[in-house]
Amino acid sequence: ATSLPPPPLSHNFSTGHNNQHRLLSTTSNHRVLEQRRHDILTHALQRVNDEGWTEDAIATGTLDAGLPPSYIGQASSATSPFGSADLVAFFMEECNKNLS
């Protein structure tokens, strides 16, 4: 019985490696963005008493988190730019975490 030669590795290996690297890079970027989102919203919650559940509170929270002014309005959740609804949802998530 004759055995078939193995498939070439160079092209398939390279593509798989690049995809794996892209996946790891995307996962790492996602973690960084989620941490940044958490920091911004945590600081923004401290401003709600003075500024309300507003985008101004989020903007101030961005600066309070130590991020440069260029980050104001550029942060985003998984689906949309930050807004007051994100701040309220974050507050509810944090309250639920503290209950458990």
Side-chain angles (χ1 to χ4, degrees), residues 8-9 15 18 25 29 31 48 50 54-55 63 65-66 72 74 82 84 89 94-95 100:
L9 294 177
T15 302
N18 287 339
S25 176
N29 287 342
R31 272 189 240 129
V48 169
D50 295 326
T54 64
E55 291 181 21
L63 299 176
I72 295 173
Q74 292 183 5
F82 274 178
S84 56
E94 291 299 299
C95 287
S100 49

Side-chain angles (χ1 to χ4, degrees), residues 12-66:
N12 290 337
F13 178 75
S14 174
T15 302
H17 178 70
N18 287 339
N19 286 340
Q20 183 181 14
H21 177 70
R22 230 178 277 133
L23 178 62
L24 291 174
S25 176
T26 301
T27 302
S28 177
N29 287 342
H30 179 73
R31 272 189 240 129
V32 168
L33 292 175
E34 283 302 311
Q35 183 60 51
R36 186 177 300 147
R37 177 181 179 271
H38 185 272
D39 292 346
I40 290 170
L41 293 176
T42 297
H43 284 88
L45 282 178
Q46 297 171 9
R47 297 297 185 149
V48 169
N49 192 41
D50 295 326
E51 299 180 32
W53 300 94
T54 64
E55 291 181 21
D56 288 342
I58 296 171
T60 306
T62 302
L63 299 176
D64 290 348

